[in-house]
Amino acid sequence: MELTFKSLLLLAAAFYFLLRITAYLLIAHQNRIFAKSHNCLTPRRFPSSFLGLPNWVRVMRAAKRGDVLEHIASRYPTYGNTWKGRILFGASIGTIEPENIKAMLATSFKDFGLGPERHANFYPLLGDGIFTLDGAGWEHARANLRPQFSREQVSDVGALEVHVQRLMNRLPEGDGEVADLQSLFYCLTLDSATEFLVGESVDSLLSPELNPTGDVDGGKEEMSFAQAFNVSQTYLINRTRVRGLYWLINTKRFRDANAIVHRLVDKYVDMALHPEKRARKISEKKYVFLDAIAAETKDPKYLRDQTLNILLAGRDTTASLLSFTFWLLARHPHIYKKLREEILLAFGTGRNGEGKHPSFSALKDLTYLRYVLNETLRLYPPVPLNGRSALRNTVLPRGGGEDGLSPIFIPKGQRVDYSCYALHRRKDLYGEDADTFRPERWGEGIGRGWEFLPFNGGPRICLGQQYALTEASYTVTRILQKYARIEVAGTHTGPTMDLTLTVAPKKVLLRLWKA
Ligand code: HEM
Ligand SMILES: *[C@@H]1O[C@H](CO)[C@@H](O)[C@H](O)[C@H]1NC(C)=O
Ligand SMILES: *[C@@H]1O[C@H](CO)[C@@H](O)[C@H](O)[C@H]1NC(C)=O
Ligand SMILES: *[C@@H]1O[C@H](CO)[C@@H](O)[C@H](O)[C@H]1NC(C)=O
């Protein structure tokens, strides 16, 4: 009797494995036929011993040093612009081929998505928002958000002026004094984004210590909103790094940080749903993003998720652009001088009411400022790494064969990662001086399509591009009006970088001299 039970069990197990193996072979066979009918060839191999564990350890070491971006970029010259390998268990495809990125983001848009893993990984902080959703959920979120980025909304420089003035007030008055510009930029973009999104700024630039704890619930929190937002994002990127095992990284600190972020946003959602609770009356004229979407739907979780996703989109990216712009300008005095001349010619120094206030359209006309911002976005794209998952069997047009010119097969569920950081530094596209900060290259009449993707492309192109460029242009203009010269403070050279979902220099410490 016992024997029969055992053999039955064995038989069942054998049957199960046989079934799995047959299914596997069948799929492999079908995939081969699919690949062949699309003329796909295999991509170059990225060496991956022991299930890619050593590759993963290398990434983690680079993360500790603060040069993950360089580490990832260094694979491409060696293994080609598209390669396939393993990084911690899963098969990994990396590409910096504009044609492939264009296919994922535009021409084969329906074949690729953020994927279920990104949704599950980001969910504890971001919920069901525009940065986590695919398909109908994304379409709905995007359609609801789109009107909020109309020209009128994004050209309101008056709303920016008050926050930029507060930032200016925190810069040193004495010549040659040191300022930590990056911390100020993160406060600036948080203050202006909260005002634009929820109607009330968290006013972090007004608080003496810049990042006071307890801006939620009257001082009872152990982290400030800004700190908690940073902590949550660090967890999200660490979870991304362990791929399918993201759920293992789920500490109390992560949950606490998410809860602090949620509580602050919920406070504003509550006000949007019950305007009578508002302490300050918001003027009829002023545009408030949250109120606009609250007119469409009353679901508090939906409102929180949408608002938080845009806050993430708006704060760190623009702060990153501003930080790197000044990081670079301080190291290139002649470019600072040339840019300042353009700004003074257009607006004067702005002292004692001299000259005009920079307007939206006048800012757009500053050609050299545009060059400087594009060149900064090229060398340091705020969203430096990105990727998509195949939602069905599909192909990418480049990367197959020794010459990399044939299509490659992408099975359903496969992730494809791309690095804008590495793409933007390709010498065959940008020339031998691709690593050099040279804004003038943008005046040489070379159109940059899918070679330049700081804001992504296709149906999911950044909604806030205009808003971000206006905010950055306005801030740069105001600071350059006041300061004739800036200089690096301290001895650090290369930017060791903080990489979360966005990238920022570790610090931007500068000395400033007034005009
Ligand atoms: C320099 C500043 C900025 C950069 C470099 C930037 C870059 C990007 C990138 C690369 C994406 C695509 C993400 C992906 O699909 O994986 C994106 C999407 C998005 N951005 Fe920005 N962004 C910036 C500023 C802003 C601002 C200020 C806002 C809003 C206030 C904003 C709102 C959005 C939204 C809503 C999306 C999602 C679009 C969608 O999935 O349909 N961005 N941005
Ligand atoms: C959040 O991270 C950025 C970038 O690393 C940093 O400049 C900023 O000071 C941090 N803010 C807080 C409150 O920790
Ligand atoms: C994320 O990973 C880095 C690098 O391994 C580590 O130094 C850091 O403490 C981690 N952060 C969190 C919040 O887990
Ligand atoms: C900067 O890059 C954008 C693409 O994101 C392009 O449309 C624009 O023309 C560029 N500006 C200049 C001055 O080349």
Side-chain angles (χ1 to χ4, degrees), residues 233-504:
Q233 282 188 62
T234 312
Y235 274 100
L236 293 190
I237 195 78
N238 281 9
R239 282 156 64 95
T240 305
R241 290 218 178 99
V242 296
R243 305 181 61 123
L245 301 176
Y246 66 85
W247 46 272
L248 283 175
I249 304 182
N250 186 1
T251 61
K252 180 167 182 301
R253 186 145 181 271
F254 179 48
R255 292 191 298 271
D256 285 350
N258 294 338
I260 288 171
V261 171
H262 291 168
R263 271 201 290 279
L264 182 91
V265 178
D266 287 347
K267 191 174 92 181
Y268 294 110
V269 168
D270 192 46
M271 284 184 203
L273 292 173
H274 309 281
E276 70 280 2
K277 289 191 190 167
R278 250 194 196 116
R280 260 188 283 166
K281 258 224 142 14
I282 292 175
S283 79
E284 287 291 324
K285 250 178 48 243
K286 192 166 123 188
Y287 170 81
V288 178
F289 173 90
L290 180 55
D291 290 350
I293 51 170
E296 309 280 331
T297 162
K298 305 286 173 214
D299 174 5
K301 170 119 177 13
Y302 178 86
L303 295 174
R304 174 218 279 172
D305 291 350
Q306 301 316 312
T307 308
L308 193 49
N309 276 254
I310 309 286
L311 189 56
L312 174 89
R315 182 190 77 148
D316 297 46
T317 49
T318 315
S320 158
L321 170 58
L322 278 165
S323 300
F324 278 115
T325 303
F326 279 89
W327 195 91
L328 287 162
L329 284 175
R331 281 156 179 83
H332 298 85
H334 62 289
I335 295 173
Y336 188 92
K337 191 159 163 277
K338 187 167 168 187
L339 178 59
R340 184 159 191 267
E341 276 160 14
E342 181 184 65
I343 288 169
L344 294 193
L345 196 67
F347 307 119
T349 61
R351 256 172 304 163
N352 313 319
E354 178 212 337
K356 310 172 287 262
H357 278 282
S359 74
F360 176 71
S361 58
L363 283 169
K364 283 191 83 159
D365 287 342
L366 296 184
T367 317
Y368 196 62
L369 177 55
R370 286 279 134 146
Y371 293 176
V372 167
L373 292 179
N374 268 16
E375 184 68 347
T376 306
L377 290 165
R378 184 181 72 80
L379 284 173
Y380 297 104
V383 184
L385 304 172
N386 209 334
R388 291 291 189 261
S389 290
L391 303 175
R392 58 174 82 124
N393 284 350
T394 181
V395 296
L396 286 177
R398 293 277 186 279
E402 259 317 298
D403 61 5
L405 295 177
S406 297
I408 55 173
F409 171 63
I410 308 290
K412 178 178 175 181
Q414 172 70 54
R415 256 194 81 73
V416 182
D417 293 309
Y418 59 95
S419 162
C420 285
Y421 180 86
L423 168 71
H424 290 175
R425 286 162 182 255
R426 269 180 65 168
K427 291 201 164 73
D428 57 333
L429 301 177
Y430 286 94
E432 276 308 309
D433 68 350
D435 286 329
T436 311
F437 180 60
R438 190 172 65 82
E440 285 73 12
R441 77 175 77 240
W442 294 95
E444 290 165 357
I446 305 166
R448 300 288 178 189
W450 293 89
E451 300 164 7
F452 182 61
L453 291 174
F455 296 101
N456 241 16
R460 288 195 95 134
I461 195 168
C462 174
L463 273 170
Q465 177 170 348
Q466 221 25 268
Y467 181 89
L469 290 173
T470 303
E471 181 165 19
S473 302
Y474 195 86
T475 310
V476 170
T477 297
R478 281 300 193 217
I479 295 179
L480 266 66
Q481 279 182 312
K482 181 161 175 189
Y483 294 96
R485 188 158 72 84
I486 62 174
E487 204 177 76
V488 182
T491 51
H492 54 297
T493 45
T496 38
M497 294 181 256
D498 270 340
L499 180 65
T500 58
L501 303 177
T502 55
V503 65

Side-chain angles (χ1 to χ4, degrees), residues 180 182-184 186-187 210-211 224-231 315-316 323 498-500 502-507:
D180 173 3
Q182 172 155 289
S183 298
L184 293 171
Y186 271 78
C187 291
L210 278 184
N211 280 304
S224 74
F225 172 77
Q227 281 163 344
F229 209 35
N230 275 12
V231 168
R315 182 190 77 148
D316 297 46
S323 300
D498 270 340
L499 180 65
T500 58
T502 55
V503 65
K506 282 261 188 253
K507 260 209 175 346

Side-chain angles (χ1 to χ4, degrees), residues 4-18:
T4 6
F5 181 68
K6 252 191 186 161
S7 23
L8 256 174
L9 213 66
L10 259 160
L11 205 69
F15 187 67
Y16 172 78
F17 281 113
L18 202 70

